[in-house]
Amino acid sequence: MTASPAADSTDPHANDASPYGGGDPYADYRGGDFPFTSLVDLADRRFGAGVIAANDEFFAERENLLKPTPAVFDPERFGHKGKIMDGWETRRRRGTDGENPFPAEDEHDWALIRLAAPGVIRGIVVDTAHFRGNYPQQVSVEATALPGSPGPEELLADGVKWEELVPRTPVRGHAANGFEVTVERRFTHLRLKQHPDGGIARLRVHGEVVPDPEWLDVLGTLDLASVLHGGTVEDASDRFYSSPTQIIQPDLSRKMDDGWENRRRRVRGTHDWVRFRLAAQGEIRAVEIDTAYLKGNSAGWAALSGCDGDPSDEASWFEILPKTRLQPDTPHRFPLPRAVTATHVRLDVFPDGGLARMRLHGAFTEAGRAALGRRFDALNG
């Protein structure tokens, strides 16, 4: 585990942000450039993640942790309990009596998070945006894996094994606190702790989806590229405006920036592209390409190529869809004349422009299903 820089563990006030002085509330926000944030957020509320329990949410409710948008701050907004914050905020802990006013060293607040997609966690961001002097002094994160849809009682039962992903670590106020995770296991739930109390605006859990192959078996035909089934972006020519990972999200695009948009190309003879690794080797039967909400900036044409094996071998790539004209703000559906077996696909757009979503409908091959099962078993050991 690698922590975000500049968190001081010696001075309890060294990590405070300055009091809000007016103007842009993000002007003095301390962000971070974490390499793992290019991976899908396994705790994305839009895909089904949830904060299923917390021991305290006196000032601000736990559900705010997983909002997909940045936290907002209104300095004039107060309620009957005090300042209304866009995050999860607990009351101030107290000691046993006037001679011992501070809480005990091991006292803390906690929240239980159900991941939208179980998987291997590569990095966590604990965002304390707008919590300047009321953020937790330290945080820690634990994870576990339980089948089905367990409730708080099952997760907190004595026999449940929790593995520490982020040890108790100081964090900065009004900042993105990033932690790299190196545990090679599949997890379904997290326990976020703040020591001893305070507020956290957002929680992001980036990683690689590891679906249950038995569940995918009963689905039959499925989207082989979807992030919820284990598809991932391996590389892209351009990530200027937004992440190409959004192309393979399972939901529908809601606005223009909820897809992949690249900058304008000015060099003739070049074009933009994204390369994907499918959840496993599969037979693609139909393709969907959606340009929803992209009107004057949608891709003009698109082509799709496939590879069954080593994507670095250019000779192994073959055509799935020829270069095809796209309409702006439109879903396009392409049934294939025959099923195509592939492990990777490359989506080329000409010359540039945006796409909202891509679906690759099909089923796993026998070899693909076996490889998926081996990975699932290895990460659940």
Side-chain angles (χ1 to χ4, degrees), residues 54-67:
N55 71 306
D56 187 292
E57 46 188 328
F58 185 85
F59 286 114
E61 57 268 23
R62 63 184 190 261
E63 287 85 0
N64 290 331
L65 279 172
L66 304 188
K67 285 182 179 178

Side-chain angles (χ1 to χ4, degrees), residues 189-208:
H189 294 77
L190 297 185
R191 180 160 59 190
L192 171 65
K193 297 179 179 179
Q194 47 179 344
H195 308 264
D197 52 37
I200 297 170
R202 298 288 188 267
L203 177 72
R204 306 294 186 228
V205 184
H206 298 279
E208 301 166 7

Side-chain angles (χ1 to χ4, degrees), residues 10-30:
T10 57
D11 179 354
H13 295 293
N15 300 318
D16 292 1
S18 299
Y20 175 64
D24 178 6
Y26 273 105
D28 60 341
Y29 175 73
R30 294 172 286 184

Side-chain angles (χ1 to χ4, degrees), residues 42-166:
L42 302 177
D44 195 320
R45 174 62 191 172
R46 295 169 296 180
F47 305 158
V51 187
I52 61 177
N55 71 306
D56 187 292
E57 46 188 328
F58 185 85
F59 286 114
E61 57 268 23
R62 63 184 190 261
E63 287 85 0
N64 290 331
L65 279 172
L66 304 188
K67 285 182 179 178
T69 54
V72 298
F73 180 73
D74 182 351
E76 302 299 325
R77 193 174 181 215
F78 287 82
H80 65 278
K81 291 183 178 180
K83 182 74 187 72
I84 296 176
M85 297 293 290
D86 186 10
W88 169 48
E89 185 180 7
T90 63
R91 73 194 80 198
R92 300 189 189 209
R93 284 183 170 268
R94 301 302 190 202
T96 55
D97 52 48
E99 296 300 316
N100 300 280
F102 286 97
E105 180 64 22
D106 60 348
E107 289 191 45
H108 62 273
D109 292 317
W110 54 264
L112 297 176
I113 294 93
R114 179 190 66 247
L115 299 180
V120 178
I121 298 168
R122 300 301 184 193
I124 295 172
V125 177
V126 178
D127 189 347
T128 57
H130 315 304
F131 290 95
R132 295 170 174 269
N134 52 346
Y135 61 96
Q137 187 176 11
Q138 298 168 324
V139 301
S140 60
V141 183
E142 300 168 325
T144 192
L146 288 183
S149 303
E153 297 81 7
E154 291 90 344
L155 288 165
L156 297 175
D158 291 339
V160 175
K161 178 184 177 183
W162 290 87
E163 185 160 350
E164 186 177 75
L165 303 185
V166 179

